[in-house]
């Protein structure tokens, strides 16, 4: 019996054939036979996800439908991409729109911390360069070698603790302060993929952390979540260097729960793990009310974070990208300001260095 598949868009409505106007970056597929399980697929749907779906759903037709769906959507994308959208870098036009916006959201990625000296994930000096992210940021990696994964995270904790927020982080905080002081009906909220807490250290009040924090731990046994700024987090993880992540550490010397002595893990979202549904709902809620979206220092390849941009763009919201190169988000952007965002962002937000130094 041919299993029918219902496609529920990540934006909450059912559609059998994709509506033409609807750019699909992320779809939730619920297999007819076990509706309970949902699988996010980034678009274009990559073969490994289909293999994974087949394994989970073991229904042959499931993949057939996916492929049909996929080809239908990709033709939409081909058409869209060929419309070679022109992005503008007209600062006056940007600032004119910025000054009329009242619910500004800034979606940030690793690039906003680059000028603080924190390597990005996929750039030339990318953090992952020496290791495949699958090796270090997945539940399977942690189950296989918790010592290696803890060395990777402790390295990043120690690196971030030695760095400071840069002018890009601070310009968003100064904008927020200006609103609070002079026009409380206007808001700026940061939705960050970063786990380095530099927005918080730049005194940003409203920050939504999509992927957790390097400075929180979660007990694998009792699930207790704790903030932890100890440096090192345990003596066995003292002074870690990225190119020597091969220390053998006895599991009993790894971070342990004070309550139940269970093994602690970093309280971050690993690849293949779902984001906290409440946090994702908040992020999607912000995308449904924002009237001005800044996309700063992200390659827009990681889902579901990357699906937030089209979600706002399809509402007609002006998207402005700050990056050293164009990305998948550029397709949705009206403005693109090329360059290191610690230089481009303060200028665009009209936040001078004096304001930042006086304030921050
Ligand atoms: C999920 C926390 C549903 C950890 C991170 C198969 C099964 C299930 C899911 C998938 C699958 N196949 C693919 C997926 C989806 C997968 C995914 O998106 N994979 C990608 C690689 C294709 N996503 C997931 O797994 C997510 N969960 O889908 O759950 C599910 C679950 C189970 C079963 C079925 C379905 C979870 C994703 C979260 C992963 N965790 N972080 C940690 O940090 O250790 S993501 C990690 O990447 C960081 O958070 C980082 O912030 C984020 C995104 O990267 P960017 O921030 O964009 O950084 P990047 O280096 O890529 O880019 C930097 C940018 O800055 C560049 O554009 C560069 O040009 C620019 N830049 C550099 N310097 C500057 C600059 N810009 C301005 N100024 C500068 N100076
Ligand atoms: Zn515990």
């Amino acid at each position: 019996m041919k299993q029918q598949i219902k496609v529920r868009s990540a934006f909450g409505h059912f559609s059998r054939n994709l509506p033409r106007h609807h750019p699909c970056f992320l779809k939730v597929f619920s297999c007819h036979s076990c509706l309970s399980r949902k699988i996010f697929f980034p678009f274009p749907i990559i073969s490994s996800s289909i293999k994974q779906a087949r394994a989970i759903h073991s229904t042959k037709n499931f993949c057939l439908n996916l492929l049909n769906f996929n080809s239908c959507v990709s033709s939409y994308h081909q058409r869209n991409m060929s419309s070679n959208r022109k992005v503008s870098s007209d600062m006056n036009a940007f600032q004119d729109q910025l000054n009329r916006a009242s619910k500004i959201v800034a979606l940030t990625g690793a690039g906003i911390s680059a000028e603080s000296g924190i390597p990005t994930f996929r750039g030339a000096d990318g953090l992952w360069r020496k290791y495949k992210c699958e090796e270090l940021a997945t539940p399977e990696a942690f189950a296989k070698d918790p010592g290696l994964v803890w060395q990777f995270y402790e390295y990043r904790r120690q690196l971030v603790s030695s760095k400071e927020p840069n002018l890009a982080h601070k310009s968003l905080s100064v904008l927020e302060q200006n609103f609070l002081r002079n026009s409380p009906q206007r808001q700026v909220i940061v939705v960050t993929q970063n786990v380095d807490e530099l927005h918080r250290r730049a005194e940003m009040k409203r920050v939504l952390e999509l992927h957790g924090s390097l400075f929180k731990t979660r007990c694998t046994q009792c699930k207790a979540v704790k903030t932890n700024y100890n440096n090192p987090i345990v003596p066995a993880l003292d002074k870690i260097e990225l190119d020597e992540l091969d220390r053998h550490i006895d599991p009993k010397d790894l971070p342990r729960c004070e309550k139940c002595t269970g093994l602690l893990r970093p309280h971050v979202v690993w690849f293949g793990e779902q984001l906290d549904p409440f946090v994702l709902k908040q992020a999607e809620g912000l995308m449904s009310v924002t009237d001005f979206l800044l996309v700063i220092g992200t390659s827009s390849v990681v889902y579901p974070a990357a699906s937030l941009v089209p979600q706002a763009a399809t509402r007609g919201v002006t998207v402005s990208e700050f990056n050293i190169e164009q990305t998948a988000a550029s397709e949705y952007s009206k403005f693109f300001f090329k360059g290191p965002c610690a230089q481009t962002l303060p200028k665009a937000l009209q936040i001078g260095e004096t304001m930042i130094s006086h304030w921050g």
Side-chain angles (χ1 to χ4, degrees):
M1 186 263 275
K2 190 166 165 28
Q3 296 243 351
Q4 272 311 314
I5 177 171
K6 274 199 183 144
V7 174
R8 186 168 72 80
S9 93
F11 313 112
H13 60 261
F14 275 78
S15 61
R16 190 161 304 287
N17 302 314
L18 196 71
R20 279 273 158 263
H21 65 280
H22 204 301
C24 152
F25 241 66
L26 190 76
K27 290 288 171 196
V28 179
F29 290 85
S30 46
C31 171
H32 210 56
S33 57
C34 55
L35 269 177
S36 55
R37 234 187 243 169
K38 293 186 169 41
I39 289 204
F40 283 94
F41 280 106
F43 184 81
I45 296 169
I46 45 185
S47 54
S48 62
S49 320
I50 292 190
K51 262 204 245 71
Q52 177 139 20
R54 182 182 276 143
I56 295 176
H57 295 266
S58 62
T59 49
K60 284 189 298 313
N61 302 329
F62 179 83
C63 301
L64 210 62
N65 288 307
L66 273 184
L67 288 173
N68 297 341
F69 173 81
N70 190 12
S71 57
C72 141
V73 179
S74 59
S75 60
Y76 168 82
H77 265 268
Q78 249 79 55
R79 272 208 312 290
N80 214 14
M81 297 294 255
S82 60
S83 63
N84 52 28
R85 291 167 47 83
K86 284 263 159 291
V87 278
S88 155
S89 51
D90 179 336
M91 193 57 90
N92 293 329
F94 167 84
Q95 286 166 347
D96 174 49
Q97 285 209 21
L98 169 72
N99 294 334
R100 281 184 284 123
S102 58
K103 288 193 181 59
I104 301 164
V105 173
L107 175 65
T108 68
I112 198 168
S113 299
E115 282 145 285
S116 296
I118 296 169
T120 62
F121 288 79
R122 291 165 193 82
D125 63 346
L127 204 54
W128 309 109
R129 199 181 66 244
K130 297 200 177 84
Y131 300 91
K132 284 207 337 298
C133 55
E134 292 75 42
E135 286 167 7
L136 299 170
T138 65
E140 295 76 13
F142 188 73
K144 189 170 141 237
D145 188 346
L148 171 64
V149 174
W150 260 117
Q151 288 175 66
F152 178 59
Y153 281 90
E154 181 60 10
Y155 164 75
R156 291 167 67 194
R157 288 164 53 98
Q158 290 170 13
L159 176 75
V160 168
S161 307
S162 69
K163 306 294 181 190
E164 293 299 326
N166 61 54
L167 292 180
H169 298 105
K170 291 182 181 174
S171 59
L172 289 167
S173 316
V174 170
L175 184 69
E176 180 183 53
Q177 289 303 317
N178 289 349
F179 285 172
L180 286 171
R181 203 176 300 124
N182 313 322
S183 35
Q185 76 288 0
R186 300 181 71 199
Q187 298 165 352
V188 56
I189 297 168
V190 166
V191 176
T192 189
Q193 301 169 81
N194 298 343
V195 294
D196 58 27
E197 292 199 0
L198 286 187
H199 285 295
R200 285 178 196 285
R201 285 176 52 198
E203 315 267 319
M204 188 79 201
K205 304 265 174 304
R206 302 189 69 180
V207 181
L208 184 63
E209 291 170 331
L210 292 176
H211 297 151
S213 165
L214 287 171
F215 300 99
K216 284 186 183 145
T217 61
R218 185 166 82 238
C219 175
T220 55
Q221 230 152 282
C222 71
K223 311 297 175 210
V225 174
K226 283 255 166 72
T227 300
N228 183 315
Y229 293 100
N230 299 340
N231 185 357
I233 191 165
V234 288
L237 288 168
D238 196 10
K239 296 190 187 50
I240 300 278
E241 286 308 323
L242 189 60
D243 45 11
E244 54 102 347
L245 294 191
D246 50 6
R247 223 180 263 187
H248 175 72
I249 299 173
D250 188 319
K252 71 174 174 29
D253 297 330
L254 289 173
R256 290 273 158 189
C257 176
E258 284 160 8
K259 255 171 52 185
C260 73
T261 71
L263 178 61
L264 297 182
R265 57 163 280 179
H267 185 54
V268 298
V269 180
W270 279 327
F271 289 96
E273 288 186 324
Q274 306 229 348
L275 276 65
D276 176 330
F278 179 63
V279 168
L280 185 55
K281 206 139 191 66
Q282 279 183 290
E284 290 177 340
L286 287 170
M287 293 307 146
S288 60
V289 296
T290 182
D291 56 3
F292 202 69
L293 177 62
L294 308 174
V295 180
I296 307 165
T298 178
S299 58
S300 286
V301 297
V302 172
Y303 293 83
S307 69
L308 297 172
V309 176
Q311 192 188 328
T314 42
R315 289 181 41 240
V317 170
T318 296
V319 177
S320 308
E321 188 174 21
F322 294 78
N323 202 309
I324 53 175
E325 59 187 5
Q326 292 214 331
T327 70
S330 308
E331 182 189 346
Y332 295 97
S333 304
K334 175 172 182 186
F335 296 103
F336 177 77
F337 297 102
K338 188 175 172 73
C341 58
Q343 295 166 24
T344 55
L345 193 62
K347 193 161 153 254
L349 300 183
Q350 298 166 299
I351 308 274
E353 288 221 18
T354 37
M355 255 173 152
I356 290 179
S357 53
H358 151 75
W359 178 80

